[in-house]
Amino acid sequence: MASLNVGSLGEYIREQRRNAQYSLRQLAEAAGVSNPYLSQIERGLRKPSAEILQQIAKALRISAETLYVQAGILEERRGEGLELRASILADPLINEQQKQALLAVYDAFLKENAAGKPSGADEGAGGSADEHEGKAP
């Protein structure tokens, strides 16, 4: 995902903005960018910097990493993980503290799995009970 796909980035930002129930003007103000500039980003006419993407992500309460992947700035490490993070952060049914708690638990599981699987990380993607019984790293 090395090349920048500005159009799909703009569409993604617009979708996230609508999910968050922000008007274009509200998101522009929350992100600290001008209304016309945000409109141009959403329409795929402008390529935002990483800093601007970070401001937009913060205003939308999604991870900046998600926008960096959409913009082609970062390689996607775990598609499901990024989507999960974005979904948690965009969920209007839980508060900010609950979102951060869920993300912390998820990160702890990822660290635990990475520590327990130094080489064969692709085996058993879903994990199993015997991974935790008698198979010390």
Side-chain angles (χ1 to χ4, degrees), residues 68-82:
Y68 295 159
V69 169
Q70 288 291 323
I73 295 171
L74 280 180
E75 290 292 323
E76 188 168 4
R77 291 185 304 191
R78 295 177 179 253
E80 299 82 18
L82 291 177

Side-chain angles (χ1 to χ4, degrees), residues 36-52:
Y37 183 61
L38 181 58
S39 175
Q40 291 172 350
I41 292 170
E42 283 193 358
R43 290 181 288 140
L45 302 175
R46 289 289 192 128
K47 174 185 171 182
S49 68
E51 183 179 325
I52 297 296

